[in-house]
Amino acid sequence: MARKPTRTRRELPPKRARNLLTASGIRVDGNNPVDYKDVALLRQFLSDKGRIRGRRVTGLSPQEQRQVATAIRNAREMALLPYDSRR
């Protein structure tokens, strides 16, 4: 009885792509693409509990992630966004 040939790595089905938020939505202009007053955009980068999502999840560059995090912190200070939603 002949054995089935083993599948090589190339023949395996491709991995599913992760559901990433695209960075194209925040590149409005080159100088200051993120504004703390744009609450609808900033909510995309918050989890259900109100925590800032990481770069692996958002798909942003390090500079863009820092700008988003700073804008979220400013929006929280101005009471536009909640600090957390556990309460």
Side-chain angles (χ1 to χ4, degrees):
M1 186 172 191
R3 292 178 64 192
K4 281 186 172 181
T6 59
R7 291 168 50 171
T8 63
R9 190 159 182 84
R10 285 187 195 155
E11 295 173 7
L12 293 175
K15 292 182 180 179
R16 290 185 304 174
R18 286 190 291 167
N19 186 13
L20 299 177
L21 296 173
T22 59
S24 62
I26 67 167
R27 290 191 182 130
V28 178
D29 59 61
N31 297 335
N32 193 9
V34 182
D35 188 19
Y36 72 93
K37 293 174 269 188
D38 192 0
V39 178
L41 176 70
L42 294 178
R43 281 193 188 272
Q44 293 178 353
F45 300 102
L46 291 176
S47 68
D48 295 342
K49 294 182 179 180
R51 299 181 65 189
I52 301 173
R53 295 184 189 269
R55 276 190 54 225
R56 289 183 181 177
V57 179
T58 60
L60 299 175
S61 70
Q63 292 172 339
E64 292 166 342
Q65 181 69 21
R66 282 193 295 271
Q67 288 179 349
V68 166
T70 303
I72 289 173
R73 287 190 215 112
N74 289 341
R76 285 176 174 168
E77 192 69 26
M78 295 292 184
L80 299 175
L81 289 175
Y83 277 96
D84 64 355
S85 62
R86 288 183 260 175
R87 296 177 188 170

